[in-house]
Amino acid sequence: AQYTFSLAFDTQRLHEMRMDILNEKGLGGLYESIVETSGKELFASLRAITEYLENDPEGDVIVHCVQGKDRTGLVIMLCQSVLGLDDTTIVADYHKSEVLLNGNSKTDGSAAAHIATASKTETKGKLNKGFFSGSPEEVMVGTLSWIRERHGSVLGYLDHIGFDATWRKRFLAVMNGGGYNMNETTGSGSMNSRL
């Protein structure tokens, strides 16, 4: 009821409530929200990568956003999943942003450490940027788990957003043409710098 009232009469309060909810859910909640509400945009990104490399087989792709870890991390995770990389590799690759963003390798890296530090500066109704500054491993582990709970698998999620088997086959064809090496026995692979 308070949400409905705020929606109709107080847009500032509604914004503050949204920020409080986002702060409460943290980085994992943000990723769940992006995955849940931005399927069209994620599909468009995967399609653009595929079509670009089909048109320029010698080209490389740079994927970026403001911080280079949230939307970028999700797009790269989806690409790596299509390529058959295992979760350990995907999570470790995502976590590399932690060191790069912080400029050192002494970062604890745990979500608990980020929340403990960030909570010291929490302000009701305002986004607590400290909650969202890192790329802790457990956030990507949780995101992969959440996708599987909702869609059965990452490939099931990709089907859901339209990046179906036909698109994945095209993606794999351009990646294989660009030096992606897939181990048929383990299902894992390694990339030469295509992404």
Side-chain angles (χ1 to χ4, degrees):
Q2 182 180 6
Y3 178 83
T4 303
F5 179 79
S6 293
L7 179 62
F9 298 103
D10 187 351
T11 57
Q12 178 60 35
R13 178 65 187 130
L14 178 62
H15 174 75
E16 290 172 359
M17 289 169 63
R18 287 179 179 150
M19 293 303 102
D20 289 345
I21 290 168
L22 191 55
N23 285 335
E24 182 181 318
K25 292 191 175 275
L27 194 54
L30 174 64
Y31 288 6
E32 290 171 11
S33 178
I34 292 171
V35 168
E36 189 70 21
T37 64
S38 300
K40 287 181 183 180
E41 292 81 1
L42 292 167
F43 169 78
S45 297
L46 297 168
R47 182 187 67 213
I49 291 167
T50 303
E51 290 176 342
Y52 175 79
L53 292 173
E54 285 174 334
N55 291 321
D56 186 0
E58 300 301 316
D60 293 318
V61 174
I62 297 173
V63 179
H64 64 88
C65 59
V66 174
Q67 289 290 316
K69 68 176 189 70
D70 299 325
R71 290 165 292 176
T72 298
L74 291 171
V75 169
I76 295 302
M77 175 270 292
L78 294 171
C79 290
Q80 291 172 325
S81 294
V82 171
L83 293 169
L85 294 166
D86 61 83
D87 284 6
T88 302
T89 303
I90 292 170
V91 169
D93 190 53
Y94 165 78
H95 185 62
K96 288 178 185 175
S97 295
E98 183 90 13
V99 173
L100 297 173
L101 287 170
N102 290 317
N104 65 55
S105 58
K106 296 179 182 179
T107 303
D108 177 322
S110 71
H114 289 284
I115 289 169
T117 303
S119 64
K120 293 177 185 173
T121 61
E122 184 175 356
T123 305
K124 284 294 259 180
K126 296 191 186 258
L127 184 66
N128 187 333
K129 293 180 182 177
F131 286 164
F132 305 95
S133 63
S135 57
E137 294 172 333
E138 57 267 30
V139 170
M140 187 56 72
V141 168
T143 301
L144 288 162
S145 176
W146 185 85
I147 290 171
R148 290 183 179 114
E149 288 171 16
R150 293 262 188 178
H151 299 279
S153 66
V154 175
L155 298 182
Y157 172 73
L158 290 166
D159 286 338
H160 173 74
I161 65 170
F163 201 74
D164 58 19
T166 301
W167 276 105
R168 293 192 299 267
K169 185 176 181 178
R170 290 172 65 181
F171 179 84
L172 286 169
V174 296
M175 293 305 290
N176 285 333
Y180 177 77
N181 301 308
M182 179 75 148
N183 181 324
E184 298 298 330
T185 306
T186 65
S188 63
S190 62
M191 274 189 293
N192 295 336
S193 298
R194 293 290 297 201
L195 292 174

